[in-house]
Amino acid sequence: MSFWQSLKKAANKTENVLDNLSRRVRRRLYRDTDVTIEPYVGYGNPHHVRLRGRILENHSVRAARDEDNALHNLWYILQRFNSDELPHVDVTITFQNQQKTVTTDDEGFFYVEFDVDEPLTAIRHTAELHYADSRREAHATGHIIIAQPDAQFAVVSDMDDTVIRSNVPNRIKLVANTLFNNARTRLPFAGVAQFYRSLQKGTENSFNPIYYVSNSPYNLHDLLQEFFKVRDIPEGPIFLRDFGLTERYVGAFENHKAMQIARLLELHRDLPFILIGDSGEHDPDIYAEIVRRYPGRIAAIYIRDVRPGETWKLNDHIKEVAQEIRKTGVDMLLIQDTLAAAQHAHQKGLVSESCIIEVAKAVKQDLAANPIDILDNPPL
């Protein structure tokens, strides 16, 4: 066993011991703890459904309010990261006429799949979830989005600095945005909501599924979901990460997005995909690798330039990657605003002509309300 494998194993054991000790202390202090089932938005095709969620104790985070200040936001962020997960317990999920019981993992997460004989003809479905022990009981309803046969394509979008302004390259600003803002004060990029709504409709007014993949932790899931609702951004499954040190998550940082995109491509084998990301992290390289592994499956790639107007080695690298994959017939655009992506999507026949007018109008309105739409980051 290598040094790093030994270190990873030791870290895993240490975290489990500390979690168990902390859990025992909390239960002695708070004997009447509440249990919350937190289902995430499920997804699937007409014959297959996937649903993920988490079971928590003492989950007291509420929705954001207009009057919340920075201290309120900090308090609730700390509450999210101080989550009391409920590991190794059973939760029962009922979908259509099927019922399955699954067990949560070390971090309280559960995952279930259903195969369906009769095709699901509606876009939106629900599943009922139930948990009970000797003292407590909890119920929840999970929402599921099913891509239908008339979908033109699917969209996979990054979130930080792609949809929501986060300043990932500037770690101080990233932390400040995360700690001191909420779903009502975090800001999207101008025109993003309208562009994504246009992508969802396509050119045939159908329903094209949109998936969101981010390296942010699952502790922020409810905040991001609320952000979508406040900003009228299309709802979709959100694939995040667990920031614990458990065995299956250590070392998975680089591969998280690629793994989730690959699973989605395999779920929707007949759909082309649009990939949207930013230049602040590894999105261009990850997306280029997806193009290589799944030839003919990617319709377009849009990379938001988080350092517009500058000529740095990072952007030069992205342009080199774009030139390479263009040989396969896939356009990767390094864009400075949402309208540029909308214009290219129209040229490719992915959205209607009215999308350009609507996005241009939305960009103007959004910039009038919040003039700063670029990230103020120093060069690397």
Side-chain angles (χ1 to χ4, degrees):
M1 182 181 296
S2 70
F3 169 78
W4 290 113
Q5 288 176 323
S6 300
L7 183 63
K8 184 171 67 172
K9 189 173 182 180
N12 178 43
K13 289 183 177 180
T14 300
E15 185 193 33
N16 287 338
V17 169
L18 292 176
D19 282 348
N20 289 331
L21 179 60
S22 175
R23 198 172 296 116
R24 289 175 184 174
V25 171
R26 289 196 302 266
R27 287 176 181 171
R28 285 184 178 275
L29 293 175
Y30 309 105
R31 293 185 178 275
D32 297 324
T33 54
D34 293 328
V35 174
T36 301
I37 304 175
E38 188 178 63
Y40 307 135
V41 176
Y43 62 101
N45 61 38
H47 293 281
H48 186 75
V49 170
R50 299 171 179 172
L51 182 65
R52 181 175 170 83
R54 200 176 194 185
I55 300 186
L56 302 169
E57 293 181 303
N58 300 314
H59 188 63
S60 57
V61 177
R62 60 162 172 80
R65 297 172 182 169
D66 290 331
E67 62 270 22
D68 286 347
N69 58 34
L71 290 179
H72 286 118
N73 298 334
L74 175 62
W75 170 253
Y76 284 110
I77 284 293
L78 294 177
Q79 290 292 93
R80 288 182 174 95
F81 280 93
N82 191 34
S83 59
D84 301 342
E85 63 273 3
L86 203 55
H88 313 305
V89 298
D90 291 340
V91 57
T92 300
I93 302 99
T94 303
F95 178 73
Q96 301 282 311
N97 59 348
Q98 299 185 57
Q99 188 175 89
K100 290 187 177 182
T101 299
V102 295
T103 303
T104 60
D105 65 11
D106 291 343
E107 301 294 333
F109 290 104
F110 62 86
Y111 176 80
V112 66
E113 298 185 16
F114 292 94
D115 290 316
V116 182
D117 293 328
E118 291 294 325
L120 301 169
T121 57
I123 294 171
R124 298 185 182 278
H125 296 262
T126 59
E128 298 304 318
L129 298 91
H130 176 249
Y131 165 80
D133 59 26
S134 60
R135 299 179 293 114
R136 306 162 298 184
E137 190 171 9
H139 297 268
T141 298
H143 296 274
I144 300 166
I145 296 176
I146 301 297
Q148 294 299 307
D150 64 347
Q152 294 176 262
F153 51 81
V155 178
V156 175
S157 175
D158 178 51
M159 292 198 60
D160 291 309
D161 291 342
T162 301
V163 175
I164 185 171
R165 303 180 193 177
S166 300
N167 284 278
V168 170
N170 187 319
R171 298 303 178 185
I172 295 176
K173 291 186 177 181
L174 171 63
V175 172
N177 275 325
T178 302
L179 295 182
F180 301 113
N181 282 293
N182 61 38
R184 294 184 175 275
T185 57
R186 296 293 296 269
L187 295 174
F189 285 96
V192 162
Q194 181 59 56
F195 180 47
Y196 280 40
R197 291 197 297 269
S198 297
L199 286 173
Q200 194 169 68
K201 290 191 300 184
T203 59
E204 299 177 6
N205 202 29
S206 57
F207 183 91
N208 300 316
I210 301 179
Y211 301 95
Y212 301 93
V213 183
S214 173
N215 283 323
S216 294
Y218 267 107
N219 306 70
L220 299 179
H221 187 279
D222 67 302
L223 185 151
L224 296 172
Q225 218 170 17
E226 186 184 357
F227 169 81
F228 286 164
K229 185 176 181 180
V230 170
R231 300 297 175 179
D232 200 20
I233 297 171
E235 180 187 40
I238 305 173
F239 302 95
L240 304 176
R241 294 180 58 249
D242 173 34
F243 271 11
L245 294 172
T246 51
E247 186 80 19
R248 65 190 180 120
Y249 291 110
V250 171
F253 185 90
E254 297 290 339
N255 300 320
H256 165 67
K257 289 183 182 178
M259 178 185 70
Q260 298 297 348
I261 295 170
R263 295 190 72 224
L264 291 170
L265 283 161
E266 291 163 3
L267 177 69
H268 304 301
R269 294 180 181 273
D270 298 328
L271 286 181
F273 274 61
I274 298 171
L275 307 179
I276 308 176
D278 65 85
S279 63
E281 295 188 280
H282 306 289
D283 292 346
D285 293 303
I286 292 172
Y287 293 171
E289 183 61 27
I290 291 294
V291 171
R292 298 184 194 101
R293 293 186 184 184
Y294 295 88
R297 296 294 309 279
I298 306 304
I301 300 174
Y302 302 118
I303 302 295
R304 183 179 292 279
D305 186 357
V306 300
R307 301 178 178 88
E310 300 288 345
T311 306
W312 292 319
K313 291 183 179 180
L314 180 61
N315 282 8
D316 290 341
H317 169 70
I318 295 171
K319 291 173 183 177
E320 291 175 3
V321 173
Q323 288 179 353
E324 178 190 344
I325 68 167
R326 191 172 292 121
K327 298 174 184 177
T328 69
V330 179
D331 289 342
M332 175 187 285
L333 269 67
L334 184 63
I335 59 170
Q336 294 189 14
D337 57 54
T338 306
L339 182 58
Q343 290 169 335
H344 180 268
H346 172 59
Q347 293 171 5
K348 297 289 289 186
L350 302 170
V351 296
S352 63
E353 186 175 3
S354 63
C355 167
I356 299 176
I357 300 172
E358 292 166 351
V359 170
K361 182 180 178 181
V363 168
K364 185 177 180 180
Q365 291 174 341
D366 290 348
L367 287 178
N370 301 287
I372 300 175
D373 194 49
I374 62 175
L375 301 181
D376 181 19
N377 297 313
L380 293 178

